[in-house]
């Protein structure tokens, strides 16, 4: 069975500072990896996804993530955050073997950006 | 193009009451999902559907039933609500396949007293 661990439940950061949100997954087969963002009182929306190819994936709003197969990680980064990036971020995995198109989500990391 | 919509946005139930949450999508997506979101737990899959007339259990299906009579609609039912079902419920849809993006509705906040 697949699982996702987001190592930090909250990450406080000052505006214009860099940030990294960590995500590790566990799966015995190849996977697709996703980062979703949830702004307050809204549904989730896709930030970026890794399917294959280049391990560095660029997403919306200046975010990027790097897939590291040997460390089973997919950490999300942004070089300079804005107040508007305050939101909860979810890492998710879909393995290529079991069942249909279902995602397993991590428990989320709340990014708190202060001035 | 409204995307994924959910009805109602808020609801308060008493223990033992029943209700149905409606999810509708206008993107002609094959797959639809119901999740619940609880603090510190992330999103957990309740049930999903891979096409009209088909449904399958997810991670936390107990106490819920679903139906997909029309491709665009996915209904989540609570037959006898319990306080443990107090949560925010999200519906999502995807075109088809593991690589596709899931599109989420705005959520339904349900409180069971």
């Amino acid at each position: 069975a697949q699982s996702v661990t987001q190592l930090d439940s909250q990450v406080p950061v000052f505006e214009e500072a860099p940030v990294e949100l960590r995500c590790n997954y566990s799966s015995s087969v190849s996977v697709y990896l996703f980062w979703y963002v949830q702004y307050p009182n809204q549904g989730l929306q896709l930030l970026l996804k890794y399917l294959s190819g280049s391990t560095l994936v660029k997403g919306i709003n200046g975010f990027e993530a790097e897939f590291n197969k040997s460390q089973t990680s997919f950490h999300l980064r942004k070089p300079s955050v804005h107040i508007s990036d305050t939101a909860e971020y979810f890492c998710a995995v879909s393995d290529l073997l079991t069942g249909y198109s279902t995602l397993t989500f991590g428990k989320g990391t709340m990014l708190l950006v202060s001035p | 193009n409204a995307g994924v919509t959910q009805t109602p946005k808020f609801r308060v139930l008493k223990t033992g009451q029943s209700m149905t949450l409606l999810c509708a999508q206008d993107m002609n997506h094959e797959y639809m999902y119901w999740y619940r979101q609880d603090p510190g737990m992330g999103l957990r899959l309740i049930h999903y559907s891979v096409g009209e007339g088909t449904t399958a259990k997810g991670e936390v299906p107990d106490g819920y039933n679903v139906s997909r009579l029309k491709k665009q609609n996915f209904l989540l039912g609570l037959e006898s609500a319990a306080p443990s079902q107090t949560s925010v419920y999200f519906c999502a849809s995807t075109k088809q396949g593991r690589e596709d993006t899931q599109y989420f509705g705005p959520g339904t906040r349900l409180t069971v007293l």
Side-chain angles (χ1 to χ4, degrees), chain B residues 13-102:
Chain B
L13 289 179
K14 294 181 180 179
T15 297
Q17 287 184 319
S18 64
M19 78 163 294
T20 301
L21 282 67
L22 171 64
C23 175
Q25 53 95 2
D26 61 2
M27 297 174 283
N28 200 34
H29 285 173
E30 289 293 332
Y31 290 19
M32 297 185 75
Y33 310 83
W34 276 108
Y35 295 92
R36 60 177 290 173
Q37 183 179 29
D38 303 291
M41 299 294 291
L43 274 79
R44 292 181 291 169
L45 183 64
I46 304 171
H47 286 280
Y48 63 102
S49 168
V50 300
E52 183 178 318
T54 71
T55 63
K57 293 180 180 179
E59 181 187 353
V60 289
D62 294 342
Y64 305 95
N65 56 75
V66 288
S67 64
R68 182 110 181 260
L69 298 179
K70 293 182 179 180
K71 186 177 182 178
Q72 64 266 34
N73 295 338
F74 194 29
L75 278 64
L76 177 72
L78 286 73
E79 289 187 349
S80 179
S84 60
Q85 294 177 303
T86 293
S87 187
V88 181
Y89 292 86
F90 287 99
C91 176
S93 71
T94 188
K95 185 176 181 181
Q96 198 168 352
R98 294 178 172 83
E99 69 275 15
D100 292 325
T101 299
Q102 288 194 14

Side-chain angles (χ1 to χ4, degrees), chain A residues 8-30:
Chain A
D8 305 295
S9 59
Q10 261 192 19
V11 173
V13 64
F14 289 109
E15 194 174 18
E16 297 184 6
V19 70
E20 178 179 81
L21 306 184
R22 297 179 292 169
C23 172
N24 287 89
Y25 68 92
S26 171
S27 176
S28 58
V29 299
S30 295

Side-chain angles (χ1 to χ4, degrees), chain A residues 32 34 36 38 41-46 49 51 88 90 94-103 105-108, chain B residues 31 33 35 37 40-45 48 50 59 90 94 96-107 109:
Chain A
Y32 294 145
F34 303 79
Y36 283 82
Q38 184 181 31
N41 299 313
Q42 294 186 25
L44 281 70
Q45 56 184 277
L46 182 73
K49 58 184 174 182
L51 303 180
E88 190 155 25
F90 293 94
S94 177
D95 75 43
L96 274 64
L97 183 64
T98 57
Y100 293 96
S101 176
T102 62
L103 290 177
F105 285 87
K107 294 184 177 181
Chain B
Y31 290 19
Y33 310 83
Y35 295 92
Q37 183 179 29
M41 299 294 291
L43 274 79
R44 292 181 291 169
L45 183 64
Y48 63 102
V50 300
E59 181 187 353
F90 287 99
T94 188
Q96 198 168 352
R98 294 178 172 83
E99 69 275 15
D100 292 325
T101 299
Q102 288 194 14
Y103 293 86
F104 284 80
R109 186 173 295 276

Side-chain angles (χ1 to χ4, degrees), chain A residues 44-87:
Chain A
L44 281 70
Q45 56 184 277
L46 182 73
L47 264 182
L48 49 79
K49 58 184 174 182
Y50 171 79
L51 303 180
S52 65
S54 173
T55 57
L56 184 62
V57 180
K58 293 192 183 299
I60 62 171
N61 301 338
F63 284 93
E64 63 181 30
E66 185 154 21
F67 171 56
N68 187 319
K69 187 174 182 179
S70 63
Q71 297 190 2
T72 61
S73 68
F74 191 52
H75 299 333
L76 181 70
R77 301 185 184 101
K78 186 170 183 178
S80 176
V81 295
H82 302 290
I83 297 285
S84 59
D85 292 323
T86 293

